[in-house]
Amino acid sequence: MLKVAIERVVPLTEARGRLSEIVDGAVQDRFWVITRRGKPRVAVVDVQYLDELVRRAGFDAPAARTQEAFRQYLLRQGIDPDKVAEEEVEAMLH
């Protein structure tokens, strides 16, 4: 669940009059949530931060698949992935 400070959640009708403040305040990981009819609808977020999130999300999925593939490899080799020492893993990778 997304956590945001209550003072950074504003209704659309209020956001119209505070747009400059909202845009200026959306820096780095500090974003605003705009509600419509009492429900969160959109976020105003720093573009560079959004780009970082998108790139990170794109990297996380392949990294997780790679970790799972290596785990399966270890199991096929008869090695318990939860008990293998880091040094053993490093030796396998070199």
Side-chain angles (χ1 to χ4, degrees):
M1 172 66 59
L2 184 66
K3 293 182 182 181
V4 62
I6 192 71
E7 64 269 9
R8 291 175 126 348
V9 178
V10 294
L12 178 59
T13 54
E14 184 181 329
R16 287 183 181 118
R18 296 177 61 190
L19 190 55
S20 288
E21 174 193 354
I22 290 169
V23 169
D24 291 344
V27 292
Q28 297 174 350
D29 64 346
R30 296 178 62 219
F31 54 91
W32 293 80
V33 173
I34 300 176
T35 62
R36 187 176 218 173
R37 296 186 190 103
K39 296 184 179 180
R41 292 289 294 146
V42 298
V44 178
V45 61
D46 181 294
V47 171
Q48 290 177 330
Y49 182 68
L50 177 61
D51 181 57
E52 178 185 323
L53 290 175
V54 169
R55 281 187 288 113
R56 194 179 311 158
F59 178 75
D60 286 349
R65 286 194 303 273
T66 301
Q67 287 176 334
E68 181 57 26
F70 187 66
R71 181 177 177 78
Q72 292 303 316
Y73 168 79
L74 291 174
L75 289 170
R76 285 192 304 275
Q77 300 302 313
I79 301 169
D80 184 343
D82 297 323
K83 295 182 179 176
V84 67
E86 188 174 327
E87 295 80 19
E88 291 176 87
V89 171
E90 287 182 17
M92 287 180 219
L93 295 174
H94 289 284

